[in-house]
Amino acid sequence: MADKRMVACNLTLEEIGTLAETLEKNKLERIKIKNGDCEIVLEAKRKCPPPVMPVGAPMMQPMVNVTAAAAAAPEGAPTPEAKAEISGNIVKSPIVGTFYAAPSPDKAPFVKVGDNVKKGDVIMIIESMKLMNEVQSDFDGVVAEILVENGTAVEFDQPIMVIK
């Protein structure tokens, strides 16, 4: 006589529940288990994020220079994104994408608060459309503040860093 706890493919209901929890916990889309003729498929119905639309930037863009005109707010004119206490040269995102502080997860960040930077130094990467765009500083100075977390989605013209 078969064990009443057996459900399918020699897995108990409890084991299938554990697989479902693993699916959700790890944000997996699908788990498929096949044992002979028996097959179990667990799928998560997740909403896809809206597609990222290009901002008129060319597809192949190895380096992005942040110009002083686009990166610094005019003196005395507050920008909607800028906090009142932000002063200095504001480096803004030149494109829509994901901010990365380091070239890879196992590497040190390009810059940290307190680091000296020179004009032309790579200070971050903005990933857009699966392209890694290195962003160079257009200012000499000291990194006073980094306004976004590593791996955060950023918008065009969003303040990312303050260099004094």
Side-chain angles (χ1 to χ4, degrees):
M1 182 171 198
D3 184 357
K4 291 183 180 182
R5 294 183 320 153
M6 290 274 212
V7 175
C9 295
N10 294 325
L11 293 176
T12 65
L13 199 52
E14 183 178 302
E15 291 168 326
I16 292 172
T18 301
L19 287 171
E21 288 174 13
T22 301
L23 180 86
E24 190 60 35
K25 178 181 173 187
N26 294 307
K27 305 258 190 267
L28 300 173
E29 295 296 321
R30 184 176 187 194
I31 294 177
K32 180 178 180 179
I33 298 172
K34 189 169 184 175
N35 184 6
D37 291 337
C38 183
E39 184 176 299
I40 294 177
V41 178
L42 300 173
E43 290 188 49
K45 299 291 185 195
R46 303 193 196 287
K47 290 185 178 179
C48 293
V52 177
M53 302 307 268
V55 184
M59 290 300 286
M60 296 300 288
Q61 192 175 18
M63 303 280 285
V64 178
N65 284 322
V66 179
T67 63
E75 299 240 339
T79 59
E81 304 89 16
K83 297 178 194 169
E85 70 267 6
I86 294 178
S87 64
N89 297 311
I90 300 172
V91 179
K92 297 181 180 180
S93 177
I95 54 178
V96 174
T98 303
F99 165 78
Y100 292 110
S104 66
D106 58 334
K107 301 284 184 185
F110 291 109
V111 294
K112 301 181 295 289
V113 173
D115 285 355
N116 286 313
V117 295
K118 294 185 179 186
K119 185 176 181 176
D121 287 351
V122 176
I123 55 175
M124 70 183 90
I125 289 177
I126 304 291
E127 178 188 5
S128 181
M129 310 264 315
K130 299 199 185 227
L131 291 176
M132 300 299 181
N133 299 285
E134 291 182 337
V135 178
Q136 298 175 334
S137 175
D138 220 19
F139 311 106
D140 289 334
V142 176
V143 177
E145 199 172 352
I146 298 174
L147 305 170
V148 295
E149 294 290 322
N150 190 44
T152 303
V154 293
E155 297 293 325
F156 172 73
D157 217 26
Q158 176 180 343
I160 294 181
M161 196 175 295
V162 179
I163 299 176
K164 291 185 178 183

